[in-house]
PDB file of all heavy atoms in Angstrom:
ATOM      1  N   GLU A 331      -0.677 -17.313  -6.705  1.00  0.00           N
ATOM      2  CA  GLU A 331       0.254 -18.355  -6.273  1.00  0.00           C
ATOM      3  C   GLU A 331      -0.490 -19.499  -5.573  1.00  0.00           C
ATOM      4  O   GLU A 331      -0.158 -20.670  -5.780  1.00  0.00           O
ATOM      5  CB  GLU A 331       1.296 -17.774  -5.319  1.00  0.00           C
ATOM      6  CG  GLU A 331       2.304 -16.863  -5.994  1.00  0.00           C
ATOM      7  CD  GLU A 331       3.286 -16.258  -5.019  1.00  0.00           C
ATOM      8  OE1 GLU A 331       3.445 -16.793  -3.894  1.00  0.00           O
ATOM      9  OE2 GLU A 331       3.899 -15.231  -5.364  1.00  0.00           O
ATOM     10  N   ASN A 332      -1.485 -19.167  -4.787  1.00  0.00           N
ATOM     11  CA  ASN A 332      -2.277 -20.169  -4.083  1.00  0.00           C
ATOM     12  C   ASN A 332      -3.020 -21.062  -5.082  1.00  0.00           C
ATOM     13  O   ASN A 332      -3.083 -22.280  -4.900  1.00  0.00           O
ATOM     14  CB  ASN A 332      -3.253 -19.484  -3.126  1.00  0.00           C
ATOM     15  CG  ASN A 332      -3.875 -20.449  -2.157  1.00  0.00           C
ATOM     16  OD1 ASN A 332      -3.341 -21.515  -1.902  1.00  0.00           O
ATOM     17  ND2 ASN A 332      -5.015 -20.064  -1.605  1.00  0.00           N
ATOM     18  N   GLU A 333      -3.580 -20.460  -6.127  1.00  0.00           N
ATOM     19  CA  GLU A 333      -4.271 -21.240  -7.155  1.00  0.00           C
ATOM     20  C   GLU A 333      -3.302 -22.181  -7.869  1.00  0.00           C
ATOM     21  O   GLU A 333      -3.641 -23.357  -8.121  1.00  0.00           O
ATOM     22  CB  GLU A 333      -4.927 -20.300  -8.171  1.00  0.00           C
ATOM     23  CG  GLU A 333      -6.149 -19.583  -7.653  1.00  0.00           C
ATOM     24  CD  GLU A 333      -6.729 -18.602  -8.663  1.00  0.00           C
ATOM     25  OE1 GLU A 333      -6.408 -18.725  -9.869  1.00  0.00           O
ATOM     26  OE2 GLU A 333      -7.471 -17.711  -8.231  1.00  0.00           O
ATOM     27  N   ALA A 334      -2.103 -21.689  -8.175  1.00  0.00           N
ATOM     28  CA  ALA A 334      -1.114 -22.544  -8.841  1.00  0.00           C
ATOM     29  C   ALA A 334      -0.721 -23.707  -7.933  1.00  0.00           C
ATOM     30  O   ALA A 334      -0.585 -24.852  -8.417  1.00  0.00           O
ATOM     31  CB  ALA A 334       0.114 -21.710  -9.222  1.00  0.00           C
ATOM     32  N   LEU A 335      -0.529 -23.423  -6.671  1.00  0.00           N
ATOM     33  CA  LEU A 335      -0.167 -24.501  -5.738  1.00  0.00           C
ATOM     34  C   LEU A 335      -1.313 -25.495  -5.578  1.00  0.00           C
ATOM     35  O   LEU A 335      -1.074 -26.706  -5.470  1.00  0.00           O
ATOM     36  CB  LEU A 335       0.217 -23.911  -4.376  1.00  0.00           C
ATOM     37  CG  LEU A 335       1.539 -23.142  -4.346  1.00  0.00           C
ATOM     38  CD1 LEU A 335       1.702 -22.438  -3.003  1.00  0.00           C
ATOM     39  CD2 LEU A 335       2.703 -24.065  -4.606  1.00  0.00           C
ATOM     40  N   SER A 336      -2.542 -25.013  -5.569  1.00  0.00           N
ATOM     41  CA  SER A 336      -3.696 -25.917  -5.482  1.00  0.00           C
ATOM     42  C   SER A 336      -3.765 -26.829  -6.697  1.00  0.00           C
ATOM     43  O   SER A 336      -4.073 -28.019  -6.578  1.00  0.00           O
ATOM     44  CB  SER A 336      -4.991 -25.107  -5.365  1.00  0.00           C
ATOM     45  OG  SER A 336      -5.029 -24.413  -4.142  1.00  0.00           O
ATOM     46  N   GLU A 337      -3.479 -26.267  -7.869  1.00  0.00           N
ATOM     47  CA  GLU A 337      -3.452 -27.098  -9.088  1.00  0.00           C
ATOM     48  C   GLU A 337      -2.358 -28.144  -9.002  1.00  0.00           C
ATOM     49  O   GLU A 337      -2.562 -29.298  -9.395  1.00  0.00           O
ATOM     50  CB  GLU A 337      -3.240 -26.216 -10.314  1.00  0.00           C
ATOM     51  CG  GLU A 337      -4.442 -25.426 -10.730  1.00  0.00           C
ATOM     52  CD  GLU A 337      -4.186 -24.574 -11.976  1.00  0.00           C
ATOM     53  OE1 GLU A 337      -3.255 -24.930 -12.763  1.00  0.00           O
ATOM     54  OE2 GLU A 337      -4.868 -23.574 -12.161  1.00  0.00           O
ATOM     55  N   ASP A 338      -1.194 -27.743  -8.499  1.00  0.00           N
ATOM     56  CA  ASP A 338      -0.104 -28.713  -8.351  1.00  0.00           C
ATOM     57  C   ASP A 338      -0.493 -29.836  -7.402  1.00  0.00           C
ATOM     58  O   ASP A 338      -0.163 -30.999  -7.648  1.00  0.00           O
ATOM     59  CB  ASP A 338       1.173 -28.020  -7.851  1.00  0.00           C
ATOM     60  CG  ASP A 338       1.836 -27.173  -8.939  1.00  0.00           C
ATOM     61  OD1 ASP A 338       1.466 -27.326 -10.121  1.00  0.00           O
ATOM     62  OD2 ASP A 338       2.730 -26.377  -8.592  1.00  0.00           O
ATOM     63  N   LEU A 339      -1.177 -29.483  -6.318  1.00  0.00           N
ATOM     64  CA  LEU A 339      -1.629 -30.516  -5.386  1.00  0.00           C
ATOM     65  C   LEU A 339      -2.643 -31.449  -6.030  1.00  0.00           C
ATOM     66  O   LEU A 339      -2.612 -32.660  -5.818  1.00  0.00           O
ATOM     67  CB  LEU A 339      -2.237 -29.874  -4.134  1.00  0.00           C
ATOM     68  CG  LEU A 339      -1.262 -29.405  -3.072  1.00  0.00           C
ATOM     69  CD1 LEU A 339      -2.009 -28.689  -1.955  1.00  0.00           C
ATOM     70  CD2 LEU A 339      -0.480 -30.560  -2.507  1.00  0.00           C
ATOM     71  N   ALA A 340      -3.537 -30.864  -6.807  1.00  0.00           N
ATOM     72  CA  ALA A 340      -4.564 -31.687  -7.461  1.00  0.00           C
ATOM     73  C   ALA A 340      -3.933 -32.643  -8.477  1.00  0.00           C
ATOM     74  O   ALA A 340      -4.435 -33.742  -8.695  1.00  0.00           O
ATOM     75  CB  ALA A 340      -5.595 -30.787  -8.136  1.00  0.00           C
ATOM     76  N   ASN A 341      -2.825 -32.218  -9.088  1.00  0.00           N
ATOM     77  CA  ASN A 341      -2.164 -33.034 -10.107  1.00  0.00           C
ATOM     78  C   ASN A 341      -0.904 -33.702  -9.578  1.00  0.00           C
ATOM     79  O   ASN A 341      -0.024 -34.078 -10.366  1.00  0.00           O
ATOM     80  CB  ASN A 341      -1.794 -32.161 -11.317  1.00  0.00           C
ATOM     81  CG  ASN A 341      -3.014 -31.546 -11.962  1.00  0.00           C
ATOM     82  OD1 ASN A 341      -4.063 -32.186 -12.015  1.00  0.00           O
ATOM     83  ND2 ASN A 341      -2.890 -30.333 -12.453  1.00  0.00           N
ATOM     84  N   ALA A 342      -0.806 -33.889  -8.287  1.00  0.00           N
ATOM     85  CA  ALA A 342       0.424 -34.413  -7.667  1.00  0.00           C
ATOM     86  C   ALA A 342       0.808 -35.795  -8.178  1.00  0.00           C
ATOM     87  O   ALA A 342       1.984 -36.128  -8.241  1.00  0.00           O
ATOM     88  CB  ALA A 342       0.278 -34.432  -6.157  1.00  0.00           C
ATOM     89  N   GLY A 343      -0.138 -36.616  -8.554  1.00  0.00           N
ATOM     90  CA  GLY A 343       0.163 -37.966  -9.017  1.00  0.00           C
ATOM     91  C   GLY A 343       0.376 -38.065 -10.510  1.00  0.00           C
ATOM     92  O   GLY A 343       0.625 -39.155 -11.031  1.00  0.00           O
ATOM     93  N   ASP A 344       0.303 -36.967 -11.235  1.00  0.00           N
ATOM     94  CA  ASP A 344       0.432 -36.972 -12.690  1.00  0.00           C
ATOM     95  C   ASP A 344       1.898 -37.213 -13.081  1.00  0.00           C
ATOM     96  O   ASP A 344       2.771 -36.426 -12.739  1.00  0.00           O
ATOM     97  CB  ASP A 344      -0.055 -35.633 -13.243  1.00  0.00           C
ATOM     98  CG  ASP A 344      -0.037 -35.560 -14.756  1.00  0.00           C
ATOM     99  OD1 ASP A 344       0.166 -36.610 -15.398  1.00  0.00           O
ATOM    100  OD2 ASP A 344      -0.239 -34.448 -15.290  1.00  0.00           O
ATOM    101  N   PRO A 345       2.171 -38.313 -13.790  1.00  0.00           N
ATOM    102  CA  PRO A 345       3.568 -38.630 -14.151  1.00  0.00           C
ATOM    103  C   PRO A 345       4.242 -37.538 -14.991  1.00  0.00           C
ATOM    104  O   PRO A 345       5.427 -37.283 -14.826  1.00  0.00           O
ATOM    105  CB  PRO A 345       3.457 -39.930 -14.945  1.00  0.00           C
ATOM    106  CG  PRO A 345       2.133 -40.494 -14.597  1.00  0.00           C
ATOM    107  CD  PRO A 345       1.258 -39.341 -14.219  1.00  0.00           C
ATOM    108  N   SER A 346       3.492 -36.896 -15.865  1.00  0.00           N
ATOM    109  CA  SER A 346       4.121 -35.850 -16.706  1.00  0.00           C
ATOM    110  C   SER A 346       4.516 -34.632 -15.864  1.00  0.00           C
ATOM    111  O   SER A 346       5.547 -34.011 -16.114  1.00  0.00           O
ATOM    112  CB  SER A 346       3.197 -35.439 -17.850  1.00  0.00           C
ATOM    113  OG  SER A 346       2.009 -34.858 -17.338  1.00  0.00           O
ATOM    114  N   LEU A 347       3.737 -34.323 -14.849  1.00  0.00           N
ATOM    115  CA  LEU A 347       4.086 -33.224 -13.955  1.00  0.00           C
ATOM    116  C   LEU A 347       5.320 -33.576 -13.127  1.00  0.00           C
ATOM    117  O   LEU A 347       6.226 -32.755 -12.959  1.00  0.00           O
ATOM    118  CB  LEU A 347       2.920 -32.861 -13.036  1.00  0.00           C
ATOM    119  CG  LEU A 347       3.176 -31.731 -12.035  1.00  0.00           C
ATOM    120  CD1 LEU A 347       3.452 -30.423 -12.750  1.00  0.00           C
ATOM    121  CD2 LEU A 347       2.003 -31.578 -11.080  1.00  0.00           C
ATOM    122  N   ILE A 348       5.375 -34.801 -12.659  1.00  0.00           N
ATOM    123  CA  ILE A 348       6.538 -35.247 -11.881  1.00  0.00           C
ATOM    124  C   ILE A 348       7.797 -35.192 -12.742  1.00  0.00           C
ATOM    125  O   ILE A 348       8.849 -34.713 -12.311  1.00  0.00           O
ATOM    126  CB  ILE A 348       6.293 -36.673 -11.336  1.00  0.00           C
ATOM    127  CG1 ILE A 348       5.154 -36.650 -10.312  1.00  0.00           C
ATOM    128  CG2 ILE A 348       7.565 -37.242 -10.721  1.00  0.00           C
ATOM    129  CD1 ILE A 348       4.681 -38.002  -9.868  1.00  0.00           C
ATOM    130  N   GLU A 349       7.689 -35.626 -13.986  1.00  0.00           N
ATOM    131  CA  GLU A 349       8.839 -35.586 -14.893  1.00  0.00           C
ATOM    132  C   GLU A 349       9.266 -34.149 -15.169  1.00  0.00           C
ATOM    133  O   GLU A 349      10.456 -33.822 -15.172  1.00  0.00           O
ATOM    134  CB  GLU A 349       8.499 -36.286 -16.210  1.00  0.00           C
ATOM    135  CG  GLU A 349       9.661 -36.321 -17.167  1.00  0.00           C
ATOM    136  CD  GLU A 349       9.322 -37.031 -18.472  1.00  0.00           C
ATOM    137  OE1 GLU A 349       8.305 -37.765 -18.528  1.00  0.00           O
ATOM    138  OE2 GLU A 349      10.086 -36.842 -19.434  1.00  0.00           O
TER     139      GLU A 349
END
Side-chain angles (χ1 to χ4, degrees):
E331 288 178 20
N332 193 21
E333 287 177 19
L335 290 171
S336 293
E337 285 181 23
D338 286 347
L339 279 175
N341 298 325
D344 184 10
S346 63
L347 179 63
I348 294 171
E349 182 179 343

